[in-house]
Amino acid sequence: MRSPRRRELNPAASPCSGRSGLRRVAMLSMHTSPLAQPGTGDAGGMNVYVLQTARQLAACGVEVEIFTRATSSEQPPSAQVEPGIVVHHVQAGPFEGLAKNDLPSQMCAFTSGVLRTEAAKPAGYFDVIHSHYWLSGHAGWLAKDRWNVPLVHSAHTLAKVKNLNLAECDTPEPFARVVGEEQVIAEADALVANTSAEADELITHYRADPARIAVTPPGVDTDVFTPGDRAQARRDLGIPQEAIVLGFAGRIQALKAPDVMLSAVARLRQLNPELGDRVTMVVVGGQSGTGMDYPQWLRELSRDLGVSDSVKFLPPRTGPELAQVFRACDAVCVPSHNETFGLVALEAQACGTPVVATAVGGLTTAVADGHSGILVDGHDETAWAGAFNRLLTDPARRELMSAAAVEHAGNFTWRRTTGDLLHTYRDAILRQRSAARAGARLSQSSR
């Protein structure tokens, strides 16, 4: 059995070296727009991934057209958001009030909109389709046969894996999604996995062909997420200079487990009152997923735990504003029950902030345990409190981890991610053309 492809790229090399005549990529992101604010609703790391890789592709002279579902009547049918990047807002169902689990009912409408847009273009307009998440994969599955181009698919999250790592109060992913993922994974010409762990999950749980899997880690924008002035960052956020600051950034839902940080700090106050009383927690994010059913649940939990006086809730933010939050922190927490990668962990480390994260999924790649941060097995509040205690009472260790975090994050850039994607696109195109030629020869020989 062949292993998934893992390509080591030279960080100094041009990502455009694998372009090989590629002109235009259709990216499908049905359930969330790359222009949406990450950290709320269904927007998160995938939005960042789509937009950042599109930017890098455009910089290589490859045009990118992104198809997403329209969620407002004010959105234009198509808009050029940056040179070389066009976003198409496809009408598929009501603009508002449609939950992600309702979107399968609109896959036909969305796919029709994608096909109609391409039908108005010259023949052979797109060279490859890159679908993101299983819903988009179904649209890509039909479009690839209609356009005679390969389908490259990124799952971003997998239902079977999520269901194996559910939080206590979370709802399992529906069986329809499981079946849908199995179909897309079987039909895609190439699968992009964020880590070797995700590649193994695709093979183990979905019987994916290892030869069609390319392991391509996401990146971080090191022009935005950089070390900076911690004192100024705390002044900007109104946080006392003498505080010990723990941060969380992400969607407020059971999967992301922000409650673990709160419970651990409450436990820390029992184990080390002098330290625990100095901790300020900064929670950046908005309601999402199952959290929509309990919009105040995290605030109510903080009151129940007796730590509400130590929590600062901030609305979702990205780019320089989020980087400033990370700079203000002594550590950033990523206590998720499952992550295919965990971009927040990478962004925090790029700012020189160590990360305390759950030892699951892609976080075991995103965080270098004992070097750039600490990985914790499970979600036991005492174990997390112990990790906080070890890190926060040892300034020398934090300083070493801060430097190591910047170094570790520097190994993951969108430049490298895009270089690998270009190779994956090229390989998929060559395989498809080779298969078409072989099919044509077989057809002629049988006459």
Side-chain angles (χ1 to χ4, degrees), residues 289-300:
T290 51
M292 298 294 285
D293 298 330
Y294 309 98
Q296 297 297 321
W297 73 277
L298 201 61
R299 293 177 185 270
E300 292 171 1

Side-chain angles (χ1 to χ4, degrees), residues 15 20 44 82 107-108 116 150 169 190 203 249 263 269 295 326 337 355 357 368 371 400 416 432 439:
S20 298
E82 294 182 17
M107 280 198 289
C108 284
R116 285 176 179 172
C169 60
I203 295 166
S263 298
R269 285 185 170 184
F326 292 151
H337 288 269
V355 170
H371 185 63
L400 288 173
R416 294 184 66 180
Q432 190 214 37

Side-chain angles (χ1 to χ4, degrees), residues 90-384:
V90 179
Q91 288 195 28
F95 291 124
E96 298 174 356
L98 201 63
K100 186 166 66 174
N101 285 344
D102 296 325
L103 290 180
S105 68
Q106 299 304 317
M107 280 198 289
C108 284
F110 180 77
T111 304
S112 175
V114 172
L115 295 177
R116 285 176 179 172
T117 300
E118 189 273 345
K121 308 289 186 181
Y125 187 74
F126 291 111
D127 298 302
V128 65
I129 300 167
H130 190 170
S131 58
H132 296 271
Y133 196 67
W134 75 277
L135 293 168
S136 301
H138 274 260
W141 175 10
L142 180 58
K144 76 155 190 157
D145 290 334
R146 185 69 61 88
W147 301 347
N148 194 30
V149 299
L151 171 64
V152 176
H153 180 66
S154 293
H156 292 282
T157 64
L158 294 165
K160 291 182 181 180
V161 177
K162 287 183 72 173
N163 287 346
L164 289 171
N165 298 279
L166 283 177
E168 241 178 72
C169 60
D170 214 349
T171 305
E173 293 296 315
F175 180 65
R177 175 181 171 182
V178 172
V179 174
E181 288 180 342
E182 290 175 338
Q183 293 170 326
V184 172
I185 289 167
E187 292 293 331
D189 298 282
L191 299 165
V192 177
N194 288 328
T195 63
S196 296
E198 185 185 355
D200 291 341
E201 290 165 350
L202 285 165
I203 295 166
T204 302
H205 299 296
Y206 292 87
R207 299 181 181 179
D209 179 1
R212 291 188 293 113
I213 302 174
V215 178
T216 305
V220 61
D221 188 343
T222 51
D223 291 330
V224 172
F225 295 95
T226 61
D229 187 337
R230 174 163 292 171
Q232 183 59 52
R234 292 188 175 187
R235 283 194 290 271
D236 290 347
L237 295 173
I239 297 173
Q241 297 295 330
E242 67 278 6
I244 292 176
V245 184
L246 296 175
F248 170 91
R251 287 169 286 173
I252 308 302
Q253 59 176 197
L255 175 70
K256 300 296 183 180
D259 54 297
V260 170
M261 180 177 70
L262 272 61
S263 298
V265 169
R267 180 66 174 141
L268 182 62
R269 285 185 170 184
Q270 298 172 346
L271 298 174
N272 188 343
E274 184 178 351
L275 174 66
D277 289 344
R278 291 179 58 199
V279 171
T280 292
M281 292 172 281
V282 180
V283 176
V284 180
Q287 301 300 323
S288 173
T290 51
M292 298 294 285
D293 298 330
Y294 309 98
Q296 297 297 321
W297 73 277
L298 201 61
R299 293 177 185 270
E300 292 171 1
L301 177 63
S302 70
R303 288 195 293 269
D304 293 342
L305 292 170
V307 297
S308 58
D309 59 323
S310 301
V311 188
K312 188 179 186 71
F313 290 95
L314 298 176
R317 57 191 64 195
T318 53
E321 288 187 333
L322 183 58
Q324 198 71 332
V325 172
F326 292 151
R327 294 183 190 115
C329 296
D330 292 287
V332 166
C333 308
V334 187
S336 305
H337 288 269
N338 180 60
E339 288 284 355
T340 51
F341 191 76
L343 286 181
V344 163
L346 211 56
E347 292 168 347
Q349 289 170 95
C351 294
T353 304
V355 170
V356 182
T358 318
V360 294
L363 289 171
T364 59
T365 297
V367 179
D369 188 27
H371 185 63
S372 67
I374 298 174
L375 294 176
V376 182
D377 290 322
H379 297 87
D380 178 73
E381 62 189 45
T382 301
W384 276 79

Side-chain angles (χ1 to χ4, degrees), residues 382-443:
T382 301
W384 276 79
F388 291 160
N389 192 58
R390 292 192 302 275
L391 182 62
L392 301 178
T393 56
D394 192 341
R397 186 185 188 194
R398 287 206 309 278
E399 189 173 344
L400 288 173
M401 279 192 169
S402 176
V406 176
E407 180 183 5
H408 179 65
N411 294 318
F412 301 89
T413 67
W414 291 115
R415 180 185 180 91
R416 294 184 66 180
T417 302
T418 304
D420 212 351
L421 286 179
L422 281 167
H423 281 285
T424 300
Y425 296 161
R426 179 201 63 190
D427 291 349
I429 291 169
L430 291 176
R431 285 198 305 274
Q432 190 214 37
R433 289 175 180 172
S434 177
R437 286 193 294 268
R441 287 195 297 268
L442 181 62
S443 177

